[in-house]
Amino acid sequence: MTIIETLRPALSGLGAAASLANGFLFVTAANAEGQNNQPTSAPADKATALPPVEVDAPVTKRRRASNAGSKPASRPVSTNHPSKPAEPRPQAASSAISPGNSLQRTTGLSRLSDSLQSTPQTVTVIPRVVIEQQQAATINQVLQYVPGITVSTGEGGGGINGDQFRIRGFDASGDVYVDGLRDFGSYVRDSFATENVLVLKGPSSQSFGNGTTGGVIEIESKKAHLGDQSSFEASAGTGPYGRGILDINKQINDTTALRFIAMGNGQDVVDRDHVYSNRGGVLGSLGLGLGTEQSLIFNYLHQDSVQRPDFGVPIVSAPGVVGKPVTEYGVPRLNYFGRESDRDHATADVATALYKGEFGDWLTLTNDTRVGYYTRDLKFTPALCASPGFPFPSSCATDVLAGNLATPYTIWSVGGTKQVSHGAENITTATMRFDTGPFRHKLIVGIDAYSQHAATGFYLPSGPEPVGTLLDPIFANSPGFAVTATSGNQLSATSWDVGPFISDRMWLTPMLSILAGVRWDHYRVDGRVSGSPLATTAEFASPKASLIFEPTAHQTYYFSYARSFTPPGNNITSLSTSLGLSQAPLSAANLEPEADTTYEVGAKWGLLEDRLGVTAALFRVDKNNASYTDQASGIQTTTDDKVRVQGVELGLTGKLTENWDVQASYSYMDSKIIASTINAFTPVSAAGNRVPYVSEHGLAIWTTYDIAPLLPNVPGHLLVGGGLNYRSDYYLNNLNSLVIPAATTIDTMVSYDPNEWYHLALKVTNLTNKLTYSSAFGNGYATPVAGRSFTLTAAVRF
């Protein structure tokens, strides 16, 4: 077979793409299906389950043998004939309103190609349908119904380093992936180009590389697909709030398609003075060889955002007191403590190429590449309420505790950052299916290489900066006040990582299999801080092993062990000051990687003919040599601390009845600092305290019911539903002296689809107008959630 013959199905679409001149149709952003050659979900109304293995076998020659020891068929597979052209198909109403059983999905990644039913790890899925029902406009809003995740990003994009997530209390700011590739940038990610979101919990370095202590956030992007579909969706709401998405997908020939998505978003946050968020973005996608054994997809994403960063309200901080946000003591939550000059302008330009080739029944090759360029210009004003005060003496905390809210707060004059960064990554993976004697194997081998560069400058304020009081903060800039770029205090850093990996799943019997793998990483950072060179290198191996028992296609029981490592400076775009890479240049070479070990035992069941999925898991994560990064200053302190997080996760996904859908999860996490050293973050021992950012209890339920069948003469689907989100309190520092109180929030929605062409929905967010916090920062401030908000959405598909 020649190279040209091998690539012919993918290359055949290039000439057709060039001849495209007209003929676009218009359909909704949220309702395109069939984006990959192999769907990542089974239809919600299908009762037939796949066998517990081989879900990634070639599309045209998928093996369905029930005997795990059977030999693969020895049949030649032609790679130069396209599949039959797909008929134009409007979104089926049933799949448009039902997320289905997530256990029947795959991750969509070649490195983790089994179904979620057969994956020995806790995985939470937020499917496209649920994202639409919740009207989640950003990724951090998408993740709000995932217990165990906390964020340091407010509605106004207040995270100093963009989206700052924590999974099970562990920093995951560098563990965001799109289509299996790192998303390098520091920005707030809009959801307009997102198909599904998966959260893989627990150390995942063997599959994803360094970091991933708490887990991985995997975003599946929208892509060109066969079939003509288009939509326009418009939303309006309180704030005011406005949003529009145009999505056009056009099939060019039997194996080629183009897709274009455009988004505009403008928002003033309800019950937060002066906070706004304006975004625009486009996604272009070209799919070649779709529906054949070889496909190539090109995606290009551009996003531009301008917003006023919301660093929220100060948290009371005083010796011997467990402080809470000042809004808990009576300060109005609409009060904004920043300045008129505060501004956050970020851009992201990301190009991605995804190749997949299937060669017979035994071999699948993928080669995925990403190149990204990002900018961020951030000016912000954090406000503090501490006694005796930092950086200046203050009586703010003691006054608040005494009932005096008309007290001055303190401004921490850090100014802001200006960063330009770029990165590139390539992952090549081979999946081989073969037998050795009576044992069947799925062997995955590959190599992951990436490089990232960031150049960061810093702003400092100058001139008079009066502060006002907690009840009457000053927003306008004073005459003579300015925020200017510093000279000489710059940070430039470049990181490289090369990581070969291998894993093998071997079936000892048709029901029992073992999965084992390892990845080795060589990681290096070179940088300059104010002209002084700085370098650090780390090498480490990340193993994993699992024992999997599947007595039927509807039951999975497993035990898993994994280790992950996080080297110093692993996410250089999150270094927001010149102190961010290490405590001092001379010590950088001596910083040891964080080491993390997880144990998990779990079970997954498919009930009601696989319409409903149920999961349960016990887990334990031990972390040694823990480091702490302050999210405002960027200072990283590496310690000999040892922490432990252990607990239970339960999940429910799918259909309770034909018309009743539910996505629910509960987590219990017992966290403890086992050993503590004295450092800048913990001047006294914190041993025995709870781990920061870990809520002991978390419960999230999202459910809808189609009441149209109960009403006479009502066609289509009429959904009523909503969600409940409970999170117990959590601390913000090792000393457990700052706390975010427990809270329960409720959202409701109603939507009507009279047919497959039209959609109308009303969403009420924070129905009870609960005061709680969308994010919090360990150095003393928290961002209140928006007050009760109403959003009306209309969409047309044609």
Side-chain angles (χ1 to χ4, degrees):
M1 181 185 298
T2 67
I3 294 176
I4 295 299
E5 288 173 337
T6 301
L7 298 179
R8 183 176 297 166
L11 295 174
S12 66
L14 287 174
S19 67
L20 175 66
N22 54 36
F24 281 132
L25 298 177
F26 290 84
V27 194
T28 96
N31 292 290
E33 284 187 326
Q35 296 192 28
N36 301 310
N37 290 349
Q38 178 183 332
T40 58
S41 64
D45 58 349
K46 294 290 185 183
T48 303
L50 293 176
V53 295
E54 296 297 78
V55 299
D56 71 329
V59 174
T60 58
K61 297 279 193 287
R62 187 187 303 275
R63 289 195 294 171
R64 298 186 180 274
S66 59
N67 183 352
S70 63
K71 298 286 186 180
S74 177
R75 292 178 291 176
V77 178
S78 172
T79 60
N80 59 6
H81 63 84
S83 63
K84 292 179 64 177
E87 294 293 329
R89 44 179 176 74
Q91 177 70 37
S94 60
S95 59
I97 59 98
S98 175
N101 177 5
S102 295
L103 293 183
Q104 301 306 303
R105 298 173 178 264
T106 73
T107 64
L109 304 177
S110 57
R111 307 192 296 282
L112 294 167
S113 56
D114 291 320
S115 70
L116 299 188
Q117 171 81 50
S118 193
T119 298
Q121 187 173 1
T122 297
V123 183
T124 301
V125 180
I126 308 94
R128 167 183 50 81
V129 172
V130 172
I131 295 173
E132 293 174 3
Q133 291 174 351
Q134 296 177 355
Q135 298 189 18
T138 62
I139 295 302
N140 67 292
Q141 291 174 1
V142 170
L143 295 172
Q144 67 179 338
Y145 275 87
V146 181
I149 288 189
T150 53
V151 300
S152 297
T153 305
E155 292 292 337
I160 187 171
N161 303 309
D163 289 337
Q164 295 285 292
F165 302 108
R166 289 176 176 267
I167 305 175
R168 291 176 175 171
F170 302 112
D171 181 25
S173 58
D175 301 327
V176 178
Y177 291 75
V178 179
D179 297 321
L181 296 161
R182 291 177 182 268
D183 194 12
F184 295 105
S186 173
Y187 65 107
V188 176
R189 296 164 175 87
D190 195 283
S191 65
F192 81 98
T194 298
E195 184 72 13
N196 304 297
V197 178
L198 288 77
V199 180
L200 296 89
K201 295 185 178 179
S204 303
S205 287
Q206 194 280 327
S207 299
F208 291 91
N210 65 73
T212 72
T213 302
V216 167
I217 298 167
E218 160 63 14
I219 302 169
E220 180 187 349
S221 63
K222 296 178 178 178
K223 305 177 185 70
H225 59 85
L226 296 178
D228 291 347
Q229 290 187 325
S230 311
S231 67
F232 178 72
E233 176 182 293
S235 300
T238 52
Y241 170 74
R243 181 177 175 87
I245 300 176
L246 173 67
D247 186 349
I248 303 169
N249 189 88
K250 177 66 176 178
Q251 180 172 334
I252 309 306
N253 63 20
D254 291 351
T255 64
T256 307
L258 277 173
R259 189 171 186 179
F260 173 79
I261 306 174
M263 174 276 299
N265 184 100
Q267 176 184 15
D268 288 354
V269 179
V270 174
D271 288 345
R272 291 295 295 150
D273 283 349
H274 310 300
V275 178
Y276 66 88
S277 178
N278 300 325
R279 293 187 301 277
V282 294
L283 173 74
S285 181
L286 170 64
L288 307 173
L290 301 178
T292 72
E293 286 90 351
Q294 295 190 71
S295 64
L296 183 61
I297 294 176
F298 295 99
N299 269 20
Y300 169 73
L301 170 75
H302 172 77
Q303 182 182 309
D304 190 296
S305 62
V306 179
Q307 53 203 5
R308 178 163 286 125
D310 189 1
F311 280 78
V313 300
I315 299 176
V316 170
S317 178
V321 174
V322 178
K324 295 178 290 186
V326 295
T327 41
E328 298 294 321
Y329 300 91
V331 173
R333 71 182 182 192
L334 57 81
N335 284 8
Y336 182 75
F337 294 91
R339 290 293 192 195
E340 183 181 5
S341 54
D342 289 359
R343 185 172 181 268
D344 184 2
H345 182 200
T347 66
D349 290 273
V350 184
T352 305
L354 306 172
Y355 166 78
K356 182 177 182 180
E358 294 173 337
F359 302 89
D361 283 346
W362 74 280
L363 176 63
T364 300
L365 295 178
T366 62
N367 185 276
D368 302 331
T369 302
R370 166 161 299 134
V371 178
Y373 180 83
Y374 313 86
T375 67
R376 189 134 192 245
D377 193 338
L378 172 65
K379 298 176 182 178
F380 63 98
T381 308
L384 305 177
C385 184
S387 298
F390 172 83
F392 308 109
S394 172
S395 62
C396 180
T398 53
D399 287 344
V400 170
L401 294 172
N404 176 22
L405 301 181
T407 181
Y409 52 92
T410 301
I411 288 179
W412 186 6
S413 300
V414 292
T417 63
K418 186 173 184 178
Q419 185 180 86
V420 175
S421 65
H422 55 81
E425 182 177 23
N426 177 269
I427 302 178
T428 301
T429 306
T431 303
M432 291 164 277
R433 295 165 288 274
F434 58 90
D435 299 330
T436 56
F439 305 119
R440 182 145 56 116
H441 296 260
K442 180 190 290 183
L443 178 67
I444 299 175
V445 297
I447 186 166
D448 177 4
Y450 74 85
S451 179
Q452 184 179 16
H453 175 79
T456 308
F458 306 99
Y459 290 109
L460 285 177
S462 61
E465 199 173 8
V467 296
T469 68
L470 293 177
L471 295 179
D472 187 21
I474 294 177
F475 173 68
N477 290 339
S478 302
F481 173 79
V483 179
T484 57
T486 62
S487 59
N489 187 25
Q490 308 292 313
L491 170 64
S492 177
T494 302
S495 63
W496 298 268
D497 184 279
V498 177
F501 55 89
I502 183 172
S503 68
D504 183 27
R505 184 172 180 182
M506 181 173 70
W507 281 264
L508 304 176
T509 73
M511 299 180 183
L512 184 66
S513 61
I514 56 175
L515 172 65
V518 66
R519 170 172 169 145
W520 178 85
D521 279 89
H522 174 86
Y523 184 81
R524 179 175 176 83
V525 179
D526 288 304
R528 300 187 72 85
V529 178
S530 301
S532 300
L534 177 63
T536 180
T537 301
E539 294 182 346
F540 46 89
S542 304
K544 74 172 181 183
S546 301
L547 180 66
I548 308 166
F549 178 58
E550 298 172 293
T552 70
H554 317 286
Q555 302 178 65
T556 303
Y557 306 90
Y558 64 89
F559 170 77
S560 291
Y561 159 86
R563 280 178 62 79
S564 68
F565 294 87
T566 304
N570 72 303
N571 183 24
I572 59 176
T573 61
S574 69
L575 309 178
S576 49
T577 77
S578 59
L579 298 177
L581 189 57
S582 68
Q583 298 154 271
L586 293 178
S587 67
N590 300 321
L591 298 181
E592 294 294 328
E594 296 177 347
D596 314 287
T597 305
T598 186
Y599 306 91
E600 182 171 321
V601 57
K604 302 180 182 183
W605 301 275
L607 307 178
L608 305 178
E609 297 181 314
D610 278 337
R611 293 194 303 270
L612 184 69
V614 180
T615 64
L618 299 171
F619 68 90
R620 174 169 164 177
V621 181
D622 292 313
K623 179 176 182 177
N624 297 323
N625 198 34
S627 68
Y628 307 97
T629 301
D630 183 88
Q631 293 166 355
S633 70
I635 300 173
Q636 184 182 65
T637 298
T638 299
T639 72
D640 292 324
D641 284 10
K642 296 178 175 59
V643 303
R644 174 178 297 161
V645 179
Q646 58 189 4
V648 179
E649 294 224 13
L650 306 175
L652 189 67
T653 170
K655 301 178 79 69
L656 293 172
T657 69
E658 182 63 28
N659 299 311
W660 187 5
D661 286 271
V662 64
Q663 305 285 317
S665 53
Y666 167 77
S667 68
Y668 166 76
M669 291 186 288
D670 174 35
S671 67
K672 186 177 182 180
I673 299 174
I674 304 300
S676 172
T677 57
I678 307 301
N679 56 70
F681 288 86
T682 49
V684 297
S685 176
N689 288 351
R690 283 168 52 184
V691 176
Y693 292 95
V694 177
S695 293
E696 192 171 39
H697 299 278
L699 173 66
I701 302 172
W702 183 263
T703 184
T704 61
Y705 195 92
D706 186 1
I707 64 173
L710 306 178
L711 304 175
N713 302 319
V714 176
H717 298 275
L718 178 59
L719 298 188
V720 294
L724 179 146
N725 203 341
Y726 169 75
R727 170 193 45 74
S728 61
D729 63 1
Y730 64 90
Y731 293 102
L732 303 180
N733 56 5
N734 279 12
L735 295 179
N736 290 179
S737 62
L738 303 176
V739 69
I740 298 299
T744 300
T745 57
I746 298 174
D747 301 330
T748 62
M749 59 81 65
V750 59
S751 70
Y752 183 48
D753 293 68
N755 51 42
E756 64 266 36
W757 310 112
Y758 301 103
H759 172 76
L760 188 66
L762 175 66
K763 165 81 181 298
V764 183
T765 304
N766 195 4
L767 178 67
T768 61
N769 206 33
K770 175 69 175 179
L771 172 62
T772 185
Y773 306 89
S774 61
S775 62
F777 302 80
N779 54 322
Y781 38 93
T783 305
V785 301
R788 184 187 298 112
S789 306
F790 297 83
T791 305
L792 181 66
T793 298
V796 58
R797 315 171 187 114
F798 50 96

